[in-house]
Amino acid sequence: MKRKRIIFGLCFLMTIGFISSSCTKVSSEGKTFVPIGEEMIDVEELFSQVKPSFDEVRNKMGIVNQQNATPSCYEDLIPPKLEGSYVMNQTMLVESNMENIQIPASMSDVTMRFMGQHNSKAVIEFTESSITQKTEPVYIIGNGNGFTAYFIENKEYDQAYNGQTYHVKIKRGIIMCGSVTAAGLSGVSDGHAKFRYASIILNWENDPAFGLPQFEPGTYFIYEEGDGLAEKL
């Protein structure tokens, strides 16, 4: 009997160790992801400085319903696997709170590469207008194939304009909403049928001497894939 207890105890410790190791992972930058259920943060806190725009965007994207409650397909802490590369080759600007802007408007291709996903965290390489920015972490919630992803992107680049070059610094929040399919990222059955993402400006800096627009915090843009599917590459 004593021998059986010893064997049981050893097996129990090995099982606990296996579970613990399976719920943690070291990121590409040497950071350790914490166990499932503890790695998610309050996403509203990420967007707290632009909360009115954040709430408006989520309503327009169908992430919250008219009763201001999150649909059950998004609120689970076990999202689908997003790892892989996807392209929006029919990107359309469909919503914005910016005045005097043409809507709908055709935009350049957008590519997304999700890497190193562990539970509700991942890394993304996000490319718009041929400018690629790697961001970590991306926070993902969902249930089944449905998901919502949030991340804060800090991007800097030089832009040529009228024979001169100006420097731009952008801090913005990105929200993505859709479903994972074998062919790519699509819309959701209980909301918009097309894959969508939004960007909300948190801070925008460039040289006003060039006469370029200065986007105020809270300015948002919502985009969708014209044919509904961001194809998997």
Side-chain angles (χ1 to χ4, degrees):
M1 178 65 69
K2 183 176 181 181
R3 183 180 179 184
K4 289 183 179 180
R5 289 178 178 175
I6 293 173
I7 293 174
F8 174 79
L10 290 173
C11 291
F12 177 76
L13 290 174
M14 290 174 65
T15 301
I16 293 298
F18 174 77
I19 293 174
S20 298
S21 64
S22 66
C23 291
T24 59
K25 185 177 179 180
V26 177
S27 75
S28 61
E29 297 182 358
K31 301 175 184 176
T32 300
F33 292 157
V34 299
I36 186 170
E38 298 179 12
E39 61 185 7
M40 194 64 190
I41 67 167
D42 183 355
V43 293
E44 293 199 11
E45 183 64 26
L46 289 178
F47 295 81
S48 59
Q49 75 177 85
V50 290
K51 181 171 172 46
S53 293
F54 177 69
D55 291 341
E56 186 173 339
V57 164
R58 292 209 301 170
N59 274 284
K60 287 181 176 294
M61 293 179 72
I63 297 173
V64 292
N65 60 28
Q66 293 181 352
Q67 287 73 42
N68 200 32
T70 305
S72 60
C73 62
Y74 301 114
E75 63 186 7
D76 202 321
L77 289 176
I78 308 178
K81 274 290 184 181
L82 282 179
E83 288 183 337
S85 297
Y86 310 89
V87 60
M88 296 175 67
N89 53 21
Q90 295 185 34
T91 310
M92 300 293 297
L93 173 63
V94 294
E95 300 267 5
S96 179
N97 62 350
M98 183 178 177
E99 297 181 356
N100 302 319
I101 186 172
Q102 179 182 340
I103 295 177
S106 179
M107 311 300 290
S108 61
D109 290 0
V110 173
T111 60
M112 300 155 282
R113 182 187 177 201
F114 292 93
M115 304 169 288
Q117 182 180 350
H118 185 66
N119 302 329
S120 297
K121 275 189 175 181
V123 182
I124 189 172
E125 286 184 351
F126 192 57
T127 303
E128 291 177 306
S129 301
S130 301
I131 300 172
T132 301
Q133 179 68 39
K134 184 177 180 180
T135 301
E136 180 179 2
V138 178
Y139 298 99
I140 311 166
I141 57 177
N143 187 314
N145 293 327
F147 73 92
T148 306
Y150 302 88
F151 61 95
I152 302 298
E153 180 189 75
N154 289 281
K155 181 163 60 178
E156 295 189 42
Y157 60 92
D158 292 323
Q159 180 72 48
Y161 181 74
N162 284 344
Q164 300 187 62
T165 300
Y166 64 91
H167 190 68
V168 177
K169 294 175 63 177
I170 304 173
K171 181 179 181 181
R172 61 180 184 161
I174 304 292
I175 306 170
M176 297 179 177
C177 178
S179 296
V180 179
T181 72
L185 305 179
S186 70
V188 291
S189 59
D190 60 346
H192 293 280
K194 299 179 179 181
F195 174 71
R196 284 188 154 196
Y197 83 91
S199 68
I200 305 177
I201 301 300
L202 303 179
N203 189 51
W204 183 293
E205 298 179 22
N206 61 42
D207 189 343
F210 288 101
L212 296 168
Q214 302 289 305
F215 294 97
E216 295 295 326
T219 303
Y220 68 76
F221 306 90
I222 301 176
Y223 307 88
E224 70 179 22
E225 171 56 42
D227 64 4
L229 181 72
E231 296 181 0
K232 191 166 187 176
L233 297 175

